[in-house]
Amino acid sequence: MNELDSVKLNKDFQNISKGTEGAIVHKYNNENFEVEFFDKNGDTIDVVTISKEYLDLIEKYNDN
């Protein structure tokens, strides 16, 4: 997983429900990321530091 990839939660994390989608905004290392999570309207719910064990990759960012 890398910056700008789309992800979703595979289990609840803090106040964010399983299945919530987001985007990686910073990659600290191969295990930890800063992710911005969005609601169904595209509004930001929260930006959190989270480990990859909570994340499933939806789509890799393609800058082509």
Side-chain angles (χ1 to χ4, degrees):
M1 285 187 262
N2 293 297
E3 290 180 5
L4 304 179
D5 286 353
S6 297
V7 295
K8 71 176 177 179
L9 280 176
N10 58 31
K11 52 188 162 187
D12 292 348
F13 181 80
Q14 296 177 358
N15 64 330
I16 309 169
S17 300
K18 176 183 176 177
T20 302
E21 296 184 5
I24 296 173
V25 294
H26 184 73
K27 180 178 180 178
Y28 292 105
N29 52 46
N30 287 331
E31 298 295 320
N32 299 291
F33 305 89
E34 194 81 11
V35 177
E36 182 174 5
F37 287 100
F38 307 98
D39 65 17
K40 294 194 184 299
N41 296 322
D43 296 320
T44 300
I45 296 171
D46 205 349
V47 179
V48 298
T49 301
I50 191 168
S51 67
K52 82 175 197 179
E53 72 182 79
Y54 285 89
L55 303 173
D56 288 333
L57 180 66
I58 296 174
E59 185 176 350
K60 294 197 78 54
Y61 175 72
N62 183 355
D63 62 356
N64 292 335

Coordinates of all heavy atoms in Angstrom, one line a residue:
M1 N 0.8 -1.2 0.0 CA 0.0 0.0 0.0 C 0.9 1.2 0.0 O 1.9 1.3 0.7 CB -0.9 0.0 1.2 CG -2.1 -1.0 1.1 SD -3.2 -0.9 2.4 CE -2.7 -2.2 3.5
N2 N 0.4 2.3 -0.7 CA 1.2 3.5 -0.9 C 0.3 4.7 -0.8 O -0.9 4.6 -0.8 CB 1.9 3.5 -2.2 CG 3.0 2.4 -2.3 OD1 3.9 2.4 -1.5 ND2 2.8 1.5 -3.2
E3 N 0.9 5.9 -0.7 CA 0.2 7.1 -0.7 C -0.8 7.2 -1.8 O -0.5 6.8 -3.0 CB 1.1 8.3 -0.6 CG 1.8 8.4 0.7 CD 2.8 9.5 0.8 OE1 2.9 10.4 -0.1 OE2 3.5 9.6 1.8
L4 N -2.0 7.7 -1.6 CA -3.1 7.9 -2.5 C -3.9 6.7 -2.9 O -4.9 6.7 -3.6 CB -2.7 8.7 -3.7 CG -2.0 10.1 -3.4 CD1 -1.6 10.7 -4.7 CD2 -3.0 11.0 -2.6
D5 N -3.5 5.5 -2.4 CA -4.2 4.3 -2.6 C -5.6 4.4 -1.9 O -5.6 5.0 -0.8 CB -3.5 3.0 -2.1 CG -2.4 2.6 -3.0 OD1 -2.2 3.2 -4.1 OD2 -1.6 1.7 -2.6
S6 N -6.6 3.8 -2.4 CA -7.9 3.7 -1.8 C -8.0 2.5 -0.9 O -7.6 1.4 -1.3 CB -9.0 3.7 -2.8 OG -9.1 4.8 -3.6
V7 N -8.5 2.7 0.3 CA -8.5 1.6 1.3 C -9.9 1.6 2.0 O -10.6 2.5 1.9 CB -7.4 1.7 2.3 CG1 -6.0 1.5 1.7 CG2 -7.5 3.0 3.1
K8 N -10.2 0.5 2.7 CA -11.3 0.4 3.6 C -11.0 -0.3 4.9 O -10.1 -1.2 4.9 CB -12.5 -0.2 2.9 CG -12.5 -1.6 2.7 CD -13.8 -2.1 2.1 CE -13.7 -3.6 1.8 NZ -14.9 -4.1 1.2
L9 N -11.7 0.0 5.9 CA -11.5 -0.7 7.2 C -12.0 -2.1 7.2 O -13.1 -2.3 6.7 CB -12.2 0.1 8.3 CG -11.5 1.3 8.9 CD1 -12.4 2.0 9.9 CD2 -10.1 1.0 9.5
N10 N -11.2 -3.0 7.7 CA -11.7 -4.4 7.7 C -12.2 -4.7 9.1 O -12.7 -5.9 9.4 CB -10.6 -5.4 7.3 CG -9.3 -5.3 8.1 OD1 -9.3 -4.9 9.3 ND2 -8.2 -5.6 7.4
K11 N -12.1 -3.8 10.1 CA -12.7 -3.9 11.4 C -12.8 -2.5 12.0 O -12.2 -1.6 11.5 CB -11.9 -4.8 12.3 CG -10.4 -4.5 12.4 CD -9.7 -5.6 13.2 CE -8.2 -5.5 12.9 NZ -7.5 -6.6 13.5
D12 N -13.7 -2.3 13.0 CA -13.9 -1.0 13.6 C -12.6 -0.4 14.1 O -11.7 -1.2 14.6 CB -14.9 -1.0 14.7 CG -16.3 -1.3 14.3 OD1 -16.6 -1.3 13.0 OD2 -17.1 -1.6 15.1
F13 N -12.4 0.9 14.0 CA -11.2 1.5 14.5 C -11.6 2.9 15.2 O -12.2 3.7 14.5 CB -10.2 1.8 13.4 CG -8.9 2.5 13.9 CD1 -7.9 1.7 14.5 CD2 -8.7 3.8 13.8 CE1 -6.8 2.3 15.0 CE2 -7.6 4.4 14.3 CZ -6.6 3.7 14.9
Q14 N -11.4 3.0 16.5 CA -11.9 4.2 17.2 C -13.3 4.4 16.9 O -14.2 3.6 17.1 CB -10.9 5.3 16.9 CG -9.5 5.1 17.4 CD -8.6 6.2 17.0 OE1 -8.9 7.2 16.4 NE2 -7.3 6.1 17.5
N15 N -13.7 5.6 16.4 CA -15.1 6.0 16.1 C -15.5 5.7 14.7 O -16.5 6.2 14.2 CB -15.3 7.5 16.4 CG -14.5 8.4 15.5 OD1 -13.4 8.0 15.1 ND2 -15.0 9.6 15.3
I16 N -14.7 4.9 13.9 CA -14.9 4.7 12.5 C -15.3 3.2 12.3 O -14.6 2.3 12.8 CB -13.6 5.0 11.7 CG1 -13.1 6.4 12.0 CG2 -13.9 4.9 10.2 CD1 -11.8 6.8 11.5
S17 N -16.4 3.0 11.6 CA -16.9 1.7 11.4 C -16.3 0.9 10.3 O -15.8 1.4 9.3 CB -18.4 1.8 11.1 OG -19.1 2.5 12.1
K18 N -16.2 -0.4 10.5 CA -15.8 -1.4 9.5 C -16.5 -1.1 8.2 O -17.6 -0.8 8.2 CB -16.1 -2.8 10.0 CG -15.7 -3.9 9.0 CD -16.2 -5.2 9.5 CE -15.9 -6.3 8.4 NZ -16.2 -7.6 8.9
G19 N -15.7 -1.1 7.1 CA -16.2 -0.9 5.8 C -16.1 0.6 5.3 O -16.3 0.8 4.1
T20 N -15.7 1.5 6.2 CA -15.6 2.9 5.8 C -14.4 3.0 4.9 O -13.3 2.4 5.1 CB -15.4 3.8 7.1 OG1 -16.5 3.6 7.9 CG2 -15.2 5.2 6.7
E21 N -14.5 3.8 3.8 CA -13.5 3.9 2.8 C -12.7 5.2 3.1 O -13.1 6.2 3.7 CB -14.1 4.0 1.4 CG -14.7 2.7 1.1 CD -15.3 2.6 -0.3 OE1 -15.0 3.6 -1.1 OE2 -15.9 1.6 -0.7
G22 N -11.4 5.2 2.6 CA -10.5 6.3 2.8 C -9.4 6.3 1.8 O -9.3 5.4 0.9
A23 N -8.5 7.2 2.0 CA -7.3 7.3 1.1 C -6.0 7.5 2.0 O -6.1 8.2 3.0 CB -7.4 8.5 0.2
I24 N -5.0 6.8 1.6 CA -3.7 6.9 2.4 C -3.1 8.3 2.0 O -2.9 8.6 0.8 CB -2.7 5.8 2.0 CG1 -3.3 4.5 2.5 CG2 -1.4 6.0 2.6 CD1 -2.5 3.2 2.0
V25 N -2.9 9.1 3.0 CA -2.3 10.4 2.7 C -0.8 10.5 3.1 O -0.1 11.4 2.7 CB -3.1 11.6 3.4 CG1 -4.5 11.7 2.8 CG2 -3.2 11.4 4.9
H26 N -0.4 9.5 3.9 CA 1.0 9.5 4.2 C 1.4 8.0 4.6 O 0.7 7.4 5.3 CB 1.4 10.4 5.4 CG 2.8 10.4 5.7 ND1 3.8 11.1 4.9 CD2 3.5 9.9 6.7 CE1 5.0 10.9 5.4 NE2 4.9 10.2 6.5
K27 N 2.5 7.6 4.1 CA 3.1 6.2 4.4 C 4.3 6.4 5.3 O 5.3 7.0 4.9 CB 3.5 5.5 3.1 CG 4.0 4.1 3.3 CD 4.3 3.4 2.0 CE 4.9 2.1 2.2 NZ 5.1 1.4 0.9
Y28 N 4.1 6.0 6.6 CA 5.3 6.1 7.5 C 6.3 5.0 7.2 O 7.5 5.3 7.3 CB 4.8 6.0 8.9 CG 3.9 7.2 9.4 CD1 2.6 7.1 9.5 CD2 4.5 8.4 9.6 CE1 1.8 8.2 9.8 CE2 3.8 9.5 10.0 CZ 2.4 9.4 10.1 OH 1.7 10.5 10.4
N29 N 5.8 3.8 7.0 CA 6.6 2.7 6.7 C 5.7 1.6 6.1 O 4.5 1.9 5.8 CB 7.4 2.1 7.9 CG 6.5 1.9 9.1 OD1 5.4 1.3 9.0 ND2 6.9 2.4 10.3
N30 N 6.1 0.4 5.9 CA 5.3 -0.6 5.3 C 4.1 -1.1 6.2 O 3.3 -1.9 5.8 CB 6.1 -1.8 4.8 CG 6.9 -1.5 3.6 OD1 6.5 -0.7 2.8 ND2 8.0 -2.1 3.5
E31 N 4.1 -0.7 7.5 CA 3.1 -1.2 8.4 C 2.2 -0.1 8.9 O 1.1 -0.4 9.4 CB 3.8 -1.8 9.7 CG 4.7 -3.0 9.3 CD 3.9 -4.2 8.8 OE1 2.8 -4.4 9.4 OE2 4.3 -4.8 7.9
N32 N 2.6 1.2 8.8 CA 1.8 2.3 9.4 C 1.5 3.4 8.4 O 2.4 3.8 7.7 CB 2.5 2.8 10.7 CG 2.7 1.8 11.7 OD1 1.7 1.3 12.3 ND2 3.9 1.3 11.9
F33 N 0.3 3.9 8.5 CA -0.2 4.9 7.5 C -1.0 6.0 8.2 O -1.6 5.8 9.2 CB -1.0 4.2 6.4 CG -0.3 3.1 5.8 CD1 -0.4 1.8 6.3 CD2 0.4 3.3 4.6 CE1 0.2 0.7 5.7 CE2 1.0 2.2 4.0 CZ 0.9 0.9 4.5
E34 N -1.1 7.2 7.5 CA -2.0 8.2 7.9 C -3.1 8.1 6.8 O -2.8 8.1 5.6 CB -1.3 9.6 7.8 CG -2.1 10.7 8.4 CD -1.9 10.7 9.9 OE1 -1.0 10.0 10.5 OE2 -2.7 11.5 10.6
V35 N -4.3 7.9 7.3 CA -5.5 7.7 6.3 C -6.6 8.7 6.6 O -6.9 8.9 7.8 CB -6.0 6.2 6.4 CG1 -7.2 6.0 5.5 CG2 -4.9 5.2 6.1
E36 N -7.1 9.3 5.6 CA -8.3 10.1 5.7 C -9.5 9.3 5.3 O -9.5 8.8 4.2 CB -8.1 11.3 4.7 CG -9.3 12.3 4.8 CD -9.1 13.5 4.0 OE1 -8.1 13.6 3.2 OE2 -10.0 14.4 4.1
F37 N -10.4 9.2 6.2 CA -11.6 8.4 6.0 C -12.8 9.3 5.6 O -12.9 10.5 6.2 CB -12.0 7.6 7.2 CG -11.1 6.4 7.4 CD1 -10.0 6.5 8.3 CD2 -11.2 5.2 6.6 CE1 -9.1 5.4 8.4 CE2 -10.3 4.2 6.8 CZ -9.3 4.2 7.7
F38 N -13.7 8.9 4.8 CA -14.8 9.7 4.2 C -16.1 9.0 4.5 O -16.2 7.8 4.5 CB -14.6 9.9 2.7 CG -13.3 10.4 2.3 CD1 -12.3 9.6 1.9 CD2 -13.1 11.8 2.3 CE1 -11.1 10.0 1.5 CE2 -11.8 12.3 2.0 CZ -10.8 11.4 1.5
D39 N -17.2 9.8 4.6 CA -18.5 9.3 4.7 C -19.1 9.1 3.3 O -18.4 9.3 2.3 CB -19.5 10.1 5.5 CG -19.7 11.5 5.0 OD1 -19.5 11.8 3.8 OD2 -20.2 12.4 5.8
K40 N -20.3 8.6 3.2 CA -20.9 8.3 1.8 C -21.1 9.6 1.0 O -21.2 9.5 -0.2 CB -22.2 7.6 2.0 CG -22.0 6.2 2.6 CD -23.2 5.3 2.5 CE -23.1 4.0 3.2 NZ -22.0 3.2 2.7
N41 N -21.0 10.8 1.6 CA -21.2 12.0 0.8 C -19.8 12.6 0.4 O -19.7 13.6 -0.2 CB -21.9 13.1 1.7 CG -23.3 12.7 2.0 OD1 -24.0 12.1 1.1 ND2 -23.7 13.0 3.2
G42 N -18.7 11.9 0.8 CA -17.4 12.3 0.5 C -16.8 13.3 1.5 O -15.7 13.9 1.2
D43 N -17.5 13.5 2.6 CA -17.0 14.4 3.6 C -16.0 13.7 4.6 O -16.3 12.5 4.8 CB -18.2 15.0 4.5 CG -19.1 15.9 3.6 OD1 -18.6 16.6 2.8 OD2 -20.3 15.8 3.8
T44 N -15.0 14.4 5.0 CA -14.0 13.7 5.9 C -14.6 13.4 7.3 O -15.3 14.2 7.9 CB -12.8 14.7 6.1 OG1 -12.2 14.9 4.8 CG2 -11.8 14.1 7.0
I45 N -14.4 12.2 7.7 CA -14.8 11.7 9.0 C -13.7 12.0 10.0 O -13.9 12.6 11.0 CB -15.2 10.2 9.0 CG1 -16.4 9.9 8.1 CG2 -15.4 9.7 10.5 CD1 -16.6 8.4 7.9
D46 N -12.5 11.6 9.6 CA -11.3 11.7 10.5 C -10.1 11.4 9.7 O -10.1 10.7 8.7 CB -11.5 10.8 11.7 CG -10.7 11.2 12.9 OD1 -9.9 12.2 12.8 OD2 -10.9 10.6 14.0
V47 N -9.0 11.9 10.2 CA -7.6 11.5 9.7 C -6.9 10.9 10.8 O -6.8 11.5 11.9 CB -6.9 12.7 9.1 CG1 -5.5 12.3 8.6 CG2 -7.7 13.4 8.0
V48 N -6.5 9.6 10.6 CA -5.9 8.8 11.7 C -4.6 8.1 11.3 O -4.4 7.8 10.1 CB -6.9 7.8 12.3 CG1 -8.1 8.4 12.8 CG2 -7.3 6.8 11.2
T49 N -3.8 7.9 12.3 CA -2.6 7.0 12.1 C -3.1 5.6 12.4 O -3.7 5.4 13.5 CB -1.5 7.4 13.0 OG1 -1.1 8.8 12.7 CG2 -0.2 6.5 12.8
I50 N -2.8 4.7 11.5 CA -3.4 3.3 11.6 C -2.4 2.3 11.0 O -1.7 2.6 10.1 CB -4.8 3.3 10.9 CG1 -5.6 2.0 11.2 CG2 -4.6 3.6 9.4 CD1 -7.0 2.1 10.8
S51 N -2.4 1.1 11.6 CA -1.6 0.0 11.0 C -2.3 -0.7 9.9 O -3.6 -0.7 9.9 CB -1.2 -0.9 12.1 OG -2.3 -1.6 12.6
K52 N -1.6 -1.3 9.1 CA -2.1 -2.0 7.9 C -3.0 -3.2 8.2 O -3.8 -3.6 7.4 CB -1.0 -2.4 6.9 CG -0.3 -3.6 7.2 CD 0.7 -3.9 6.0 CE 1.1 -5.3 6.0 NZ 2.0 -5.6 4.9
E53 N -2.9 -3.7 9.5 CA -3.8 -4.8 9.9 C -5.3 -4.4 9.8 O -6.1 -5.3 9.7 CB -3.4 -5.3 11.2 CG -3.8 -4.4 12.4 CD -3.3 -4.9 13.7 OE1 -2.2 -4.8 14.0 OE2 -4.2 -5.5 14.4
Y54 N -5.6 -3.1 9.9 CA -6.9 -2.6 9.9 C -7.4 -2.3 8.4 O -8.6 -2.0 8.3 CB -7.1 -1.4 10.7 CG -7.1 -1.6 12.2 CD1 -5.9 -1.6 12.9 CD2 -8.2 -1.8 12.9 CE1 -5.8 -1.8 14.2 CE2 -8.2 -2.0 14.2 CZ -7.0 -2.0 14.9 OH -7.0 -2.2 16.3
L55 N -6.5 -2.4 7.5 CA -6.9 -1.9 6.1 C -6.9 -3.0 5.1 O -6.1 -3.9 5.1 CB -5.8 -0.8 5.7 CG -5.6 0.4 6.6 CD1 -4.5 1.2 6.2 CD2 -6.9 1.2 6.7
D56 N -7.9 -2.8 4.1 CA -7.9 -3.6 2.9 C -7.7 -2.7 1.8 O -8.4 -1.6 1.7 CB -9.2 -4.4 2.8 CG -9.4 -5.5 3.8 OD1 -8.3 -6.1 4.2 OD2 -10.5 -5.9 4.1
L57 N -6.9 -3.0 0.8 CA -6.7 -2.2 -0.4 C -7.9 -2.3 -1.3 O -8.4 -3.4 -1.6 CB -5.5 -2.7 -1.1 CG -5.1 -1.9 -2.4 CD1 -4.7 -0.5 -2.1 CD2 -4.0 -2.6 -3.1
I58 N -8.5 -1.2 -1.7 CA -9.6 -1.2 -2.7 C -9.0 -1.0 -4.1 O -9.3 -1.8 -5.0 CB -10.6 -0.1 -2.4 CG1 -11.2 -0.2 -1.1 CG2 -11.6 0.0 -3.5 CD1 -12.1 0.9 -0.6
E59 N -8.2 0.0 -4.2 CA -7.6 0.3 -5.5 C -6.3 1.1 -5.4 O -6.2 2.0 -4.6 CB -8.6 1.2 -6.3 CG -8.2 1.5 -7.7 CD -9.2 2.3 -8.5 OE1 -10.4 2.5 -8.0 OE2 -8.9 2.8 -9.6
K60 N -5.3 0.6 -6.2 CA -4.0 1.3 -6.2 C -4.1 2.6 -7.0 O -4.8 2.7 -8.0 CB -2.9 0.4 -6.8 CG -2.7 -0.8 -5.9 CD -1.4 -1.5 -6.2 CE -0.1 -0.8 -5.7 NZ 0.0 -0.6 -4.3
Y61 N -3.5 3.7 -6.5 CA -3.5 4.9 -7.2 C -2.7 4.8 -8.5 O -1.6 4.2 -8.5 CB -2.8 6.0 -6.3 CG -2.7 7.3 -7.0 CD1 -3.8 8.1 -7.3 CD2 -1.4 7.8 -7.4 CE1 -3.6 9.3 -7.9 CE2 -1.2 9.0 -8.0 CZ -2.4 9.8 -8.3 OH -2.2 11.0 -8.9
N62 N -3.2 5.3 -9.5 CA -2.6 5.2 -10.8 C -2.4 6.6 -11.3 O -3.4 7.3 -11.7 CB -3.4 4.4 -11.8 CG -2.7 4.2 -13.1 OD1 -1.7 4.8 -13.4 ND2 -3.3 3.4 -14.0
D63 N -1.2 7.1 -11.4 CA -1.0 8.5 -11.9 C -0.8 8.7 -13.4 O -0.3 9.7 -13.8 CB 0.2 9.2 -11.1 CG 1.5 8.5 -11.3 OD1 1.5 7.4 -12.0 OD2 2.5 9.0 -10.8
N64 N -1.1 7.6 -14.1 CA -0.9 7.7 -15.6 C -2.1 8.5 -16.2 O -3.1 8.5 -15.9 CB -0.9 6.3 -16.2 CG 0.4 5.6 -15.8 OD1 1.4 6.3 -15.5 ND2 0.4 4.3 -15.8

